[in-house]
Amino acid sequence: MLPAIVSTYYVIGLTMALLRNHAGYEQEDNKVLILILLVPVLCMVIQIMYADIIVIWASVAISLLMYYVYLRELQFTYDAPTLIKNRAAFEKAIEHYGNTSEQVVVVVIDLNQLKTINDCFGHTAGDEAILDCANVIKQSFKGIGSPFRIGGDEFVCCARIYQRRKWTGL
């Protein structure tokens, strides 16, 4: 039972980390993180049901490694202060849209007077202004597009254009 107890500790830790950070990531990223979490849970059940099969230690080690590697990959995709995607992710998205027939609208948003905010109220106030702006953009484009922070005070949103279909009746 000791392996199951120790593994439970790791699963609880991974679950808490996932719950703490899940709101900032997109749904696809959260799905991958949940799958990584389910590997040791499944192996823990196998370990409890079949005591002769020792899989729990390896599954926890592999899950922790996969979790670490995936979080490192997300660091190169997301802007740390705002938790929205960064310029590299924007360039990748534009390349993707260029290779498909999807139509998108690109909205460029520049936070004006950031230098004035920094000079008058300090860089902490400027950071708060950027964070507030990012949160408004995130909420405004939720479900219809992806926001990106491409520079210090510059944001871009890519929203797909959906074609309305004419109702032809039954």
Side-chain angles (χ1 to χ4, degrees):
M1 287 304 284
L2 181 63
I5 292 170
V6 172
S7 299
T8 302
Y9 170 77
Y10 286 113
V11 169
I12 290 170
L14 283 174
T15 304
M16 288 174 44
L18 181 62
L19 290 174
R20 187 173 0 126
N21 297 323
H22 84 283
Y25 299 127
E26 290 190 359
Q27 189 173 5
E28 294 83 26
D29 296 328
N30 285 328
K31 287 178 184 177
V32 172
L33 292 170
I34 289 170
L35 286 174
I36 291 171
L37 178 67
L38 290 178
V39 170
V41 172
L42 177 66
C43 289
M44 193 181 321
V45 170
I46 292 170
Q47 181 77 45
I48 290 172
M49 291 175 57
Y50 305 102
D52 296 340
I53 301 174
I54 301 174
V55 294
I56 195 73
W57 294 117
S59 71
V60 168
I62 290 170
S63 290
L64 288 173
L65 182 62
M66 288 179 357
Y67 185 73
Y68 174 76
V69 168
Y70 196 74
L71 285 181
R72 293 292 293 178
E73 182 180 324
L74 289 178
Q75 281 183 326
F76 296 114
T77 305
Y78 285 88
D79 177 53
T82 60
L83 284 180
I84 62 175
K85 291 190 174 185
N86 61 18
R87 183 183 194 100
F90 170 68
E91 290 172 359
K92 188 185 247 185
I94 290 297
E95 183 179 325
H96 167 74
Y97 291 133
N99 293 332
T100 65
S101 61
E102 285 185 87
Q103 293 181 333
V104 293
V105 173
V106 178
V107 179
V108 180
I109 302 165
D110 189 357
L111 183 60
N112 289 330
Q113 306 301 325
L114 182 63
K115 182 174 177 3
T116 305
I117 294 171
N118 285 338
D119 291 345
C120 294
F121 303 106
H123 288 280
T124 303
D127 292 344
E128 288 176 11
I130 289 172
L131 186 58
D132 290 343
C133 183
N135 288 333
V136 168
I137 292 169
K138 253 194 278 192
Q139 290 302 315
S140 299
F141 284 87
K142 189 173 189 173
I144 61 169
S146 301
F148 302 90
R149 183 177 178 197
I150 61 168
D153 62 346
E154 297 166 347
F155 297 88
V156 172
C157 296
C158 295
R160 290 184 184 94
I161 299 175
Y162 294 101
Q163 300 287 335
R164 283 191 176 180
R165 294 188 179 164
K166 189 173 184 179
W167 186 65
T168 58
L170 296 174

